[in-house]
Amino acid sequence: MSPLTHDPPRALPGPARSPELLLRGLARGERGDRLTHVHRVPARDAVLAEWPQWVPAALYAALTQSGVTHLWSHQRQAADAAHAGQHVVLSTGTASGKSLGYLLPVASDLVDGSVAPTGRGATALYLSPTKALAQDQLSRLEALAVPGLRPATYDGDTPTEERRWIRDHANYVLTNPDLIHHSLLPGHEHWAPFLRALRYVVIDECHVYRGVFGTHLALLLRRLRRVAARYHSYPTFVLASATVADPGTHAGRLIGMPVRPVTQDGSPRAAMTFGLWEPGMAGGRGSDGEPPRRRSAVAESADLLADLVEQGVQTVAFARSRSGVEVVAAAARNHLREVDPTLEGGVAAYRGGYLPEERRELERSLRAGELVGLAATNALELGIDVSGLDAVLLAGWPGTRASMWQQAGRAGRAGAESLAILVAADDPLDTYLVHHPRAIFDAPVEAAVLDPENPHVLGPHLAAAAAELHVTEEDAALFGPTMVALLDALVGKGVLRRRPRGWFWGRSDRASDHVSLRGSGETVRIVEQRTGRVLGTVDEARAHPAVHTGAVYLHQSETYVVTELDLADASALVVPGDPGWSTQARSVSAFDIVGVERSKEWGRITCCFGPVDVHSQVTSFLRRLPTGEVIGEHPLDLPVRTLSTKAVWWTIPPEILEGAGISEPDIPGAAHAAEHAAIGMLPLVATSDRWDIGGVSTARHPDTGLPTILIYDAHPGGAGFAERGFEAVRTWLGSTRDAIVACECLAGCPSCVQSPKCGNGNEPLDKAAAIRLLDLTLAAAGPGS
Ligand SMILES: [Zn+2]
Ligand SMILES: [Zn+2]
């Protein structure tokens, strides 16, 4: 099925009733108890601002001719701050015109025409996390046609002959972190005139830079600042972010300098009705031998999409994977065909990765009303404008409140009220959220964590920095107090050379090739067997469970089978195709506590944060049908690997457990179930993905001598997630307990204590004992954090 359908345009009736009535209508009959909460997001009035006097006439004319007649207050605030040379982050909602906020000061300086002492006018760099977004910015700037503004994209696809022209003539270069890392910084001499005139660095969508990726970006920006300073440039940083908690602190950690936050959104917004929806149990509650399982968010969303399309309500349904998108679109079309065959063609799937023309065509058919229902991955978040729909369905929690608001913000025609529905997926975090609406609507958005001092990420960046310009003692102001020790360690490994003037790159190859901006430590390449093409990389830490020989591996939502994991060559050979089953690695794990950095004593229960070594060995894998049925177990011969990372753990003496009715034989099941749910709930307090985190629990740990539950960052050196868990431990474990209690299954299911990545096949798990274990932990911890 083509993603774009071209049936004759139909008149678009739009929602005949209020969004709230529409929502109540969806929840009638047998779906009566699935709507767990209705929240109303109130309308917001516009706050207008005058144009700044400093905007040049040519830019003012171009903008007003393109239809920009006035500014919102936040655009003016951010623009004034940046124009005055203040680093600023603009953190407001979707479709609030953030790009005008940074374009005003940047373009004003670029078209100003005054020539710097260096012989060319001012320049600016624009960084976006994806190529699509940079392309999109370029087409908007080209449409504006501001005299004197010479924008150009510079990415991996830019031909060599064009690169030179761009370096020498463009004054607004739109690029991505990878290009800065692999091309601009290592070849900075070629960029000398551009860097001498560098006045602004714009960082768009900066909320995506978190965890290990955020740490990489923070260090990359320090390298950029250092190289720019070599050319006497001290650019102003202007950052744009979705609404996140404390954007000023996050942006400040990214660039390594104080940043002024602008967060008061002056753009108008119509009211929105937001429904929380929990699909019913599909296989009973687990009492009659059938495995308990909730109906999937994808299947439920397909039903809702079909219902909405049938009523003429233009809707986009966001799913978390490409295969989920296909299922939503196909199932919705099937439903509609039964009702009215003419409706079927109004539903399409959009999976991202399209050419700009295809994206524009999609935008057009939505605006024309030829498409009434669209299923999409959140790739749509970046690079295509589909704002102004009637309703948005979220098939599963999108990971962060920032993403949720960004996706929900796609609904809302000018002045018309809109509808959004979050459909819970089968995991503890989703279960918790649809039963605790305050955690969605009243809580501050997540703190974006990153740790610029993680030695596993900092070390390779120091090596890359030394290759760009030798590193001196003064650079510790940028790279932190651990810099000298890490540099000396690199000298010991023969990577750098120590000379009187500082540390120099000591090898013949390129330093930047040793750093992947999206991972940490060593990587294993995913190689397509037939073509030899490298599809991507996985961290070595994840290679054993994810790409062992025989694994079914999802890469950018496409399915591959691993034919061979070659550890010596650090590669995994894959062939494309979906064999019809999934695989799950089984492993054994143990850990050593290396030290305790911080701890909290709650009576005889102790909670700690510190460095640990986690030893794990993948021993076999299971093949499973989509129903969950296991069709075979296959042994693997892989070595034990050790991950040195950071963890949060807590210990409870067995007597205390006994007092709460958890006797010795029940401890493993209680601790294991609490560990799984706690892993699933950590994203509530840290902006992590459940795959960024691992856990081990044991009834008696050799280091503590006690039952111990440990949750660790699954990245060498840690990523900041476990530390956030330690800091917000009361909130985190309290919501973990509530998520388990809220699930109506009897003995545990994927919505509460089962984990899709359990190395132990989800054995043993004791849901009731886990609740008692968490209750006594929380009672001992008392109120507070
Ligand atoms: Zn359950
Ligand atoms: Zn497990």
Side-chain angles (χ1 to χ4, degrees), residues 69-387:
T69 53
H70 47 258
L71 301 182
W72 313 123
S73 56
H74 60 275
Q75 294 169 327
R76 173 76 197 260
Q77 278 176 33
D80 277 343
H83 183 71
Q86 217 177 2
H87 308 302
V88 62
V89 57
L90 182 52
S91 171
T92 51
T94 311
S96 62
K98 287 191 280 279
S99 54
L100 187 58
Y102 57 73
L103 185 65
L104 277 180
V106 172
S108 291
D109 276 17
L110 301 194
V111 305
D112 176 23
S114 68
V115 171
T118 57
R120 69 178 286 181
T123 61
L125 271 176
Y126 166 94
L127 297 189
S128 83
T130 66
K131 272 194 250 175
L133 190 60
Q135 293 286 353
D136 216 58
Q137 282 288 318
L138 179 68
S139 45
R140 273 152 219 238
L141 290 170
E142 283 175 344
L144 274 178
V146 184
L149 185 65
R150 296 184 302 279
T153 52
Y154 192 94
D155 58 36
D157 301 336
T158 310
T160 315
E161 59 277 16
E162 271 176 44
R163 291 188 172 206
R164 197 193 163 111
W165 186 93
I166 291 168
R167 289 197 300 262
D168 294 346
H169 298 286
N171 56 6
Y172 193 28
V173 171
L174 308 154
T175 184
N176 54 58
D178 304 80
L179 251 287
I180 302 286
H181 171 65
H182 287 293
S183 176
L184 189 148
L185 290 176
H188 61 84
E189 299 87 357
H190 302 297
W191 289 83
F194 185 93
L195 287 169
R196 271 190 207 106
L198 184 63
R199 197 161 304 167
Y200 289 102
V201 177
V202 176
I203 302 173
D204 207 354
E205 305 278 347
C206 75
H207 56 277
V208 306
Y209 303 113
R210 53 192 164 81
V212 172
F213 189 28
T215 301
H216 277 295
L217 192 86
L219 294 168
L220 183 70
L221 293 176
R222 283 157 180 72
R223 282 165 52 201
L224 176 64
R225 284 175 52 202
R226 202 175 72 103
V227 167
R230 155 82 176 68
Y231 297 96
H232 309 290
S233 281
Y234 301 88
T236 301
F237 286 78
V238 190
L239 301 98
S241 167
T243 47
V244 294
D246 202 359
T249 301
H250 175 62
R253 290 188 89 179
L254 274 180
I255 72 166
M257 296 180 286
V259 177
R260 176 177 161 191
V262 172
T263 55
Q264 277 298 329
D265 195 331
S267 64
R269 180 182 68 192
M272 171 181 277
T273 297
F274 210 123
L276 303 184
W277 191 279
E278 184 179 46
M281 299 299 281
R285 296 166 63 220
S287 52
D288 42 9
E290 256 190 285
R293 225 183 158 87
R294 213 168 273 292
R295 196 155 183 264
S296 79
V298 161
E300 192 85 356
S301 298
D303 286 1
L304 293 172
L305 179 62
D307 278 11
L308 289 164
V309 167
E310 198 190 328
Q311 299 179 60
V313 180
Q314 204 174 33
T315 305
V316 59
F318 289 106
R320 295 195 284 208
S321 68
R322 287 193 197 181
S323 57
V325 164
E326 294 297 337
V327 173
V328 169
R333 281 195 293 257
N334 281 341
H335 290 309
L336 288 166
R337 190 181 312 128
E338 286 165 19
V339 180
D340 175 354
T342 65
L343 293 175
E344 185 193 347
V347 174
Y350 175 80
R351 295 164 308 161
Y354 289 172
L355 299 171
E357 313 82 83
E358 294 172 304
R359 297 204 300 265
R360 297 293 95 83
E361 168 57 19
L362 186 74
E363 291 173 355
R364 191 204 58 75
S365 50
L366 276 167
R367 271 196 298 272
E370 294 159 20
L371 271 182
V372 189
L374 179 68
T377 59
N378 55 16
L380 202 78
E381 268 189 55
L382 303 169
I384 161 169
D385 179 15
V386 293
S387 38

Side-chain angles (χ1 to χ4, degrees), residues 728-744:
V729 67
R730 186 72 182 66
T731 311
W732 171 38
L733 295 183
S735 54
T736 300
R737 179 238 175 236
D738 292 348
I740 305 176
V741 171
C743 188
E744 72 259 39

Side-chain angles (χ1 to χ4, degrees), residues 5-22:
T5 50
H6 297 278
D7 295 291
R10 302 182 308 112
L12 191 70
R17 291 160 293 161
S18 81
E20 171 137 17
L21 285 176
L22 195 60

Side-chain angles (χ1 to χ4, degrees), residues 353-599:
Y354 289 172
L355 299 171
E357 313 82 83
E358 294 172 304
R359 297 204 300 265
R360 297 293 95 83
E361 168 57 19
L362 186 74
E363 291 173 355
R364 191 204 58 75
S365 50
L366 276 167
R367 271 196 298 272
E370 294 159 20
L371 271 182
V372 189
L374 179 68
T377 59
N378 55 16
L380 202 78
E381 268 189 55
L382 303 169
I384 161 169
D385 179 15
V386 293
S387 38
L389 305 185
D390 301 315
V392 167
L393 290 168
L394 307 171
W397 175 245
T400 62
R401 296 179 194 87
S403 300
M404 182 197 80
W405 287 117
Q406 203 161 43
Q407 296 184 0
R410 299 297 180 174
R413 291 175 193 283
E417 296 196 10
S418 58
L419 174 66
I421 305 174
L422 168 65
V423 180
D426 213 5
D427 68 54
L429 182 57
D430 286 45
T431 305
Y432 175 82
L433 289 171
V434 295
H435 289 283
H436 296 83
R438 295 190 57 192
I440 298 178
F441 300 113
D442 295 352
V445 282
E446 303 79 359
V449 297
L450 55 99
D451 174 13
E453 286 183 20
N454 178 339
H456 297 261
V457 185
L458 178 53
H461 278 278
L462 286 174
E468 288 149 15
L469 281 177
H470 70 274
V471 176
T472 65
E473 305 255 358
E474 286 80 71
D475 289 324
L478 278 176
F479 295 118
T482 58
M483 182 191 83
V484 171
L486 284 168
L487 287 167
D488 288 341
L490 289 166
V491 172
K493 285 189 204 157
V495 175
L496 299 186
R497 291 213 188 101
R498 180 81 214 247
R499 296 203 189 121
R501 286 195 298 134
W503 290 265
F504 288 75
W505 178 244
R507 297 166 51 127
S508 55
D509 54 352
R510 284 165 58 93
S512 55
D513 290 347
H514 293 270
V515 188
S516 150
L517 287 186
R518 282 165 178 81
S520 50
E522 302 294 311
T523 55
V524 169
R525 291 166 297 132
I526 312 288
V527 180
E528 193 175 38
Q529 189 168 348
R530 193 176 55 81
T531 59
R533 197 163 60 97
V534 177
L535 300 173
T537 58
V538 282
D539 282 1
E540 205 233 338
R542 283 199 233 180
H544 293 199
V547 294
H548 58 76
T549 302
V552 175
Y553 178 68
L554 222 63
H555 178 73
Q556 293 188 346
S557 310
E558 303 292 344
T559 307
Y560 296 87
V561 178
V562 179
T563 53
E564 191 193 354
L565 171 60
D566 184 343
L567 288 174
D569 185 47
S571 64
L573 294 177
V574 300
V575 293
D578 185 346
W581 62 76
S582 60
T583 54
Q584 187 179 13
R586 303 205 58 168
S587 57
V588 288
S589 300
F591 60 93
D592 298 324
I593 294 169
V594 178
V596 175
E597 278 181 22
R598 299 157 72 186
S599 67

